[in-house]
Amino acid sequence: MNKQEYIKNIIKHIQNDSMQKESFRELSDHFEDRKQYYLDAGFEEEVAEEKTVARMGDAELIGTKMGKVHGRRFYVPVLLIELVLGLVMTPVALFMSGFIGEAVLLEMKVLAECILLLFLFLFSYIGLRYRYKSLLILACIPFVLFLTLKGGLYLYTSTVPFVSGTVWETVYLALGKVKALYEVAARSWVVDVSWWLQVLSLLFYAWIIFCAIAGIMIMVREDRAKCTLKQKKMLKLIKRSMLGMGLVILVSAGAFYAVYYAEATAARDAGVEESSVLAVYAKGIDENQSLNEMEGAYIQDDTDSFYSYVSDTKIESTDTIQLYGSGEDGEPIRRIEKKRFDNNIEYYIVIHEVNVKTTKDYMYFSNKGLWENFSKDKWTKVKKGEKYLVAFEKRADYPKNFVEFTIQ
Amino acid sequence: MRYSKELVKGSTHLLVLAVLETEDLYGYKICREIELRSQNELSMGEGTLYPILHALEKEDYVESYWRECDGRSRKYYHITRKGLRHLKSLKEERNAFNKSIDKVLNFG
């Protein structure tokens, strides 16, 4: 039996392709070293090779043992990335956007999406890790090209429940968060816990992306065969940091949610009175819905009034429209909000001016989306009799919304 | 004196980790080092070293990396902190075991 046959008899038991190549190389090196030892001892080449085979042992036995070691086990760091992404980030992302707690049914949706996400990652992981890798990549290229040329992935996937809810929401949420945090910080350095929680979640986003890229790069590079010790140590560090950060986020989010929920309940129990309400409603159900079908109203108080209008004349289903607001006393026009409309989803954008009357020293109230002085999902302390301009974002498919919650 | 394969087999993890404790080595060198330290009294089927090394790596007791040596790229193994702890416990276990064997053999 020559070297090639001998080693092939060993590695045929290994199912992992990259490990097969690496083991071939390693065993081949060993074979050459031992053969050289016999050659140096004065044996003929053929004899040296035979003696080397004998010295290395039964190929079938070694192969079986190697096969057991390198069975189809999951590549732990990559799997952990997927698990953390699926199990931690989806609820955190949805929590940050203020969805959780609004409806029980929605929580079920989150759970279903998490399960779907896991399945998706699991299958893509197996495909990328072991087999059909080239086929998958080749299949993706025309798919991505087609979608890009035809208007981008969002256009075709925004209405798919899992994709819109998990993928796009997460992406837009991260981008929106950066902008919102910048705006808050630009106005004032006095920021509270929820601000830092959002900063933390952003860091986590960045970390996830970094880890995912690192994981994919290592998979593509046939990982173990070419990985240096430094890279492996880095991976280990990533793995541990991710677990740690995931835990911190999870605990913080859990605590924050508990406080949020308790205060919301307290606010509802206390009862409410709203003195003035309303500004703009926008609907985006029909592709050809015209501006005329949009309602507009203005808010009036003692000193100033605002009115709002929509700059676009026609709302396409996925168009972005811009709402502008202007004071009647000559205040320059400024953009209030930019909103995207999706097919089959009704959006209502409402500007509220609330005259807050409290029976206590203070009362918290929630606002959705960063608006003027209020952060997304932030409960803001208010004083008796003071007026606050609050923006509520309401989605028609969430029957339980905070627009109707009451403040005393 | 050469020992039976069975006797060596039960100690391979200990032997490999002990050799790697002092320096990073590649497979062939690990075999040679075991032979050298034991003055050729201990040897194993060299091929069986690799399933052991790979299993140790899976358990995070060692980690591997490729490095140039004598103009060739070789796969070196490095003992981890976890591996060092494992080695320590294996040594303790081994000592206790030897003592137990001695007690049985020297009974009375």
Side-chain angles (χ1 to χ4, degrees), chain A residues 18-35:
Chain A
S18 65
M19 208 58 228
Q20 224 181 43
K21 285 178 198 163
E22 185 181 350
S23 299
F24 184 92
R25 215 171 127 195
E26 192 178 24
L27 288 165
S28 177
D29 279 345
H30 189 115
F31 197 99
E32 287 301 323
D33 285 333
R34 181 51 78 184
K35 187 175 151 187

Side-chain angles (χ1 to χ4, degrees), chain A residues 321-339:
Chain A
I321 64 158
Q322 298 193 33
L323 305 177
Y324 289 87
S326 162
E328 279 187 348
D329 56 356
E331 188 181 331
I333 290 174
R334 59 193 174 84
R335 200 178 75 196
I336 296 174
E337 178 63 301
K338 208 174 177 185
K339 192 70 202 170

Side-chain angles (χ1 to χ4, degrees), chain A residues 90-139:
Chain A
T90 307
V92 168
L94 289 171
F95 163 73
M96 289 300 180
S97 63
F99 291 171
I100 291 179
E102 290 187 19
V104 177
L105 276 175
L106 202 68
E107 286 165 352
M108 294 300 290
K109 192 182 143 204
V110 171
L111 185 70
E113 288 189 356
C114 285
I115 293 166
L116 276 169
L117 191 72
L118 278 175
F119 270 102
L120 185 81
F121 278 127
L122 202 65
F123 285 113
S124 66
Y125 164 81
I126 290 169
L128 282 170
R129 180 85 187 115
Y130 294 109
R131 282 172 198 274
Y132 317 122
K133 189 162 69 183
S134 313
L135 199 69
L136 274 176
I137 293 167
L138 280 174

Side-chain angles (χ1 to χ4, degrees), chain B residues 43-85:
Chain B
S43 70
M44 58 175 89
E46 290 179 5
T48 57
L49 173 72
Y50 291 95
I52 292 163
L53 279 170
H54 290 197
L56 285 171
E57 191 177 14
K58 286 255 169 179
E59 296 295 324
D60 281 339
Y61 294 137
V62 299
E63 46 197 9
S64 64
Y65 60 100
W66 289 87
R67 195 171 84 186
E68 288 289 321
C69 175
D70 302 331
R72 278 164 67 183
S73 181
R74 294 182 186 277
K75 192 180 178 186
Y76 276 79
Y77 290 89
H78 168 80
I79 191 164
T80 61
R81 261 188 274 180
K82 190 181 171 187
L84 286 169
R85 284 197 299 272

Side-chain angles (χ1 to χ4, degrees), chain A residues 271-389:
Chain A
V272 174
E273 198 176 304
E274 290 178 3
S275 66
S276 63
V277 198
L278 197 42
V280 172
Y281 296 91
K283 287 185 179 181
I285 302 171
D286 269 336
E287 287 203 352
N288 298 316
Q289 191 172 18
S290 69
L291 178 63
N292 293 336
E293 289 172 23
M294 298 190 62
E295 297 174 47
Y298 62 86
I299 307 162
Q300 182 99 42
D301 67 31
D302 295 342
T303 57
D304 196 7
S305 66
F306 271 85
Y307 68 90
S308 306
Y309 64 91
V310 181
S311 64
D312 306 64
T313 53
K314 198 182 251 189
I315 302 168
E316 297 292 337
S317 60
T318 54
D319 264 4
T320 297
I321 64 158
Q322 298 193 33
L323 305 177
Y324 289 87
S326 162
E328 279 187 348
D329 56 356
E331 188 181 331
I333 290 174
R334 59 193 174 84
R335 200 178 75 196
I336 296 174
E337 178 63 301
K338 208 174 177 185
K339 192 70 202 170
R340 183 186 285 274
F341 288 86
D342 297 317
N343 260 334
N344 304 322
I345 297 172
E346 276 190 40
Y347 279 94
Y348 296 83
I349 298 167
V350 187
I351 302 168
H352 281 236
E353 186 171 274
V354 182
N355 187 357
V356 184
K357 293 172 183 172
T358 63
T359 53
K360 297 180 181 175
D361 286 345
Y362 62 87
M363 180 60 68
Y364 289 112
F365 61 90
S366 171
N367 65 309
K368 302 272 171 190
L370 189 84
W371 193 276
E372 295 296 317
N373 292 319
F374 303 109
S375 302
K376 196 179 174 92
D377 299 331
K378 183 183 170 191
W379 290 77
T380 307
K381 192 174 178 177
V382 294
K383 288 180 184 171
K384 261 184 197 176
E386 274 192 9
K387 291 179 182 177
Y388 291 87
L389 192 69

Side-chain angles (χ1 to χ4, degrees), chain B residues 3 69 102:
Chain B
Y3 298 99
C69 175
D102 286 345

Side-chain angles (χ1 to χ4, degrees), chain A residues 44-251:
Chain A
E44 293 291 324
E45 176 143 0
E46 207 171 312
V47 181
E49 207 155 90
E50 279 172 16
K51 284 180 93 60
T52 303
V53 169
R55 185 67 185 259
M56 287 186 77
D58 181 12
E60 285 295 322
L61 183 73
I62 300 164
T64 311
K65 285 182 180 175
M66 291 280 255
K68 276 183 189 166
V69 175
H70 299 293
R72 285 187 183 277
R73 286 167 60 175
F74 291 120
Y75 186 46
V76 177
V78 176
L79 196 64
L80 275 176
I81 289 167
E82 322 280 65
L83 282 173
V84 171
L85 190 72
L87 287 176
V88 179
M89 277 322 292
T90 307
V92 168
L94 289 171
F95 163 73
M96 289 300 180
S97 63
F99 291 171
I100 291 179
E102 290 187 19
V104 177
L105 276 175
L106 202 68
E107 286 165 352
M108 294 300 290
K109 192 182 143 204
V110 171
L111 185 70
E113 288 189 356
C114 285
I115 293 166
L116 276 169
L117 191 72
L118 278 175
F119 270 102
L120 185 81
F121 278 127
L122 202 65
F123 285 113
S124 66
Y125 164 81
I126 290 169
L128 282 170
R129 180 85 187 115
Y130 294 109
R131 282 172 198 274
Y132 317 122
K133 189 162 69 183
S134 313
L135 199 69
L136 274 176
I137 293 167
L138 280 174
C140 276
I141 292 168
F143 176 70
V144 171
L145 271 177
F146 171 76
L147 288 174
T148 308
L149 291 172
K150 297 293 279 181
L153 276 171
Y154 181 81
L155 191 65
Y156 290 89
T157 56
S158 61
T159 53
V160 179
F162 156 67
V163 178
S164 64
T166 302
V167 180
W168 293 117
E169 289 285 358
T170 307
V171 172
Y172 287 131
L173 188 67
L175 293 173
K177 213 173 272 183
V178 174
K179 185 171 165 279
L181 289 172
Y182 171 76
E183 284 173 1
V184 171
R187 273 200 302 272
S188 165
W189 286 107
V190 184
V191 287
D192 63 11
V193 175
S194 71
W195 192 88
W196 287 108
L197 195 67
Q198 300 225 29
V199 171
L200 197 65
S201 76
L202 263 180
L203 286 174
F204 195 67
Y205 273 118
W207 196 241
I208 287 281
I209 290 162
F210 173 73
C211 292
I213 291 169
I216 290 164
M217 275 174 70
I218 283 159
M219 279 199 287
V220 170
R221 289 185 63 197
E222 302 273 329
D223 53 79
R224 304 180 89 88
K226 290 172 187 168
C227 236
T228 64
L229 195 59
K230 211 173 177 182
Q231 284 171 323
K232 284 185 179 178
K233 281 185 176 165
M234 190 183 77
L235 261 182
K236 206 172 274 181
L237 186 74
I238 288 170
K239 192 172 80 178
R240 286 175 186 169
S241 310
M242 276 193 62
L243 281 173
M245 281 190 77
L247 202 67
V248 168
I249 289 276
L250 202 64
V251 170

